[in-house]
Amino acid sequence: MTTTDHDLPAQSSAATTSSATGTRATRIIGIAAIVALGWLVAFGLGFSPADRDQEEAVRILYVHVPTIWLAYLAFVVTAVASAMYLFTSKKSLGWDRMAGASAEIGVVFVAVTLAVGAMWGRLTWGVFWQWDARLTTTALLFVTYVGYLAVRRLGGSHHQRARRSSVLGLIAVIEIPLVHWSVRLWRSLHQEATVLDTDGDIDMDGLMLFSLFVGVVAFTLLYVWLMLHRTRTMAMEDIVEDRGLDAALAARRAEGEL
Amino acid sequence: MEDAGFILGSYLLTFAAVAAFSWRTLRAGRKLADQVPADDRYWR
């Protein structure tokens, strides 16, 4: 495969900068993310009250919950981008890179969720880990997407990589409802959803809910910022790989002519 | 006091993980930019 497909879904190109993958848009989003993370620390560790039952341990949930929600979002984006690659006639590698970048960020967020959740578990349950339905399915989700990232590195042309990882991206996303509803499907130590429950009644103090909202905004901005930088880096990786292959083929042809 | 250690640790761990991933991404971008002409960077 010696052709280079640089067709990408519409992304910011209005502003330019001398940095490698940054633009004016990424700088604005990056600054907004840092400010929002600062607010998260202020509300999560300072302004929000302690919980009646969990006491101070509730503060961990302001990072634990947003990171898993963003991981869900990241994996849904991976699935949608995978479907766009597979089922559109253009077969743009931009969709594949979007799927790959989103999966990488999702894996980081799930890893954070598991690690931070273990700390919350130690304070609330007295143990770091239990083979509970929610914890086990979340660990399975993590391992599945680490596998997805490994499959992306198997080699072959860019389109071969895109085809096989798109199929996997569409299958793996089925795990998300399994993780979310695991607390209802099986007897679980983990508490049920407080905000995203089916009855629509949110039993939370206003300041606690606001702190959670700040966390969601902060990690969403961070996700968008990371996505822009990572997809651009992946585009450059593909270009460099194509050029290396072109050079190797030219050298081989030159040898044949001698 | 044990609570404070775990609570602060959870925030520190989160920010450290995000910072490490961001740094890795930006560094890879900078390295690759030396090998890719500006015309091939669609975001410019």
Side-chain angles (χ1 to χ4, degrees), chain A residues 2-60:
Chain A
T2 55
T3 57
T4 307
D5 181 352
H6 301 157
D7 298 324
L8 290 155
Q11 294 184 42
S12 171
S13 60
T16 58
T17 178
S18 58
S19 75
T21 52
T23 57
R24 195 170 149 219
T26 57
R27 275 200 297 275
I28 291 169
I29 295 166
I31 290 166
I34 290 169
V35 171
L37 287 169
W39 274 70
L40 172 64
V41 171
F43 277 90
L45 295 178
F47 301 143
S48 70
D51 184 63
R52 185 190 60 193
D53 300 320
Q54 299 178 41
E55 299 176 352
E56 300 293 339
V58 74
R59 299 183 190 286
I60 294 177

Side-chain angles (χ1 to χ4, degrees), chain A residues 8 11 13 15-17 20 41 44-45 56 59-60 112 116 119 122-123 222 226 229 232 236-237 240 243, chain B residues 2-3 6-7 10-11 13-15 17-18 21-22 25-26 28-30 32-33 35-37 40 42-44:
Chain A
L8 290 155
Q11 294 184 42
S13 60
T16 58
T17 178
V41 171
L45 295 178
E56 300 293 339
R59 299 183 190 286
I60 294 177
V112 167
V116 166
M119 293 184 185
R122 175 68 180 78
L123 291 178
L222 193 62
L226 284 169
H229 281 288
R232 290 166 184 177
M236 289 196 289
E237 283 168 357
V240 168
R243 294 214 167 140
Chain B
E2 188 191 30
D3 284 14
F6 281 116
I7 292 163
S10 67
Y11 278 72
L13 190 145
T14 302
F15 293 139
V18 165
F21 184 75
S22 304
T25 301
L26 293 176
R30 282 199 199 102
L32 287 162
Q35 303 169 56
V36 177
D40 284 344
Y42 64 87
W43 55 93
R44 290 180 62 88

Side-chain angles (χ1 to χ4, degrees), chain A residues 19-180:
Chain A
S19 75
T21 52
T23 57
R24 195 170 149 219
T26 57
R27 275 200 297 275
I28 291 169
I29 295 166
I31 290 166
I34 290 169
V35 171
L37 287 169
W39 274 70
L40 172 64
V41 171
F43 277 90
L45 295 178
F47 301 143
S48 70
D51 184 63
R52 185 190 60 193
D53 300 320
Q54 299 178 41
E55 299 176 352
E56 300 293 339
V58 74
R59 299 183 190 286
I60 294 177
L61 300 187
Y62 304 130
V63 288
H64 178 69
V65 176
T67 48
I68 194 64
W69 283 355
L70 261 296
Y72 288 168
L73 173 76
F75 297 146
V76 168
V77 168
T78 294
V80 171
S82 298
M84 291 301 290
Y85 174 79
L86 279 181
F87 303 123
T88 54
S89 55
K90 201 175 174 188
K91 303 285 179 213
S92 169
L93 286 172
W95 291 117
D96 172 61
R97 289 191 281 262
M98 185 182 280
S102 195
E104 278 187 16
I105 300 164
V107 164
V108 172
F109 281 156
V110 175
V112 167
T113 301
L114 286 168
V116 166
M119 293 184 185
W120 179 85
R122 175 68 180 78
L123 291 178
T124 313
W125 302 332
V127 288
F128 285 107
W129 184 263
Q130 275 284 318
W131 289 103
D132 165 85
R134 171 59 72 81
L135 276 65
T136 307
T137 51
T138 308
L140 187 65
L141 184 74
F142 174 73
V143 171
T144 302
Y145 278 92
V146 168
Y148 168 90
L149 295 178
V151 165
R152 288 187 67 84
R153 292 172 177 267
L154 282 179
S157 71
H158 300 326
H159 284 284
Q160 283 172 334
R161 174 196 71 195
R163 266 196 304 276
R164 65 173 174 249
S165 57
S166 294
V167 172
L168 191 53
L170 284 172
I171 295 169
V173 77
I174 298 168
E175 278 186 60
I176 292 175
L178 187 74
V179 173
H180 188 70

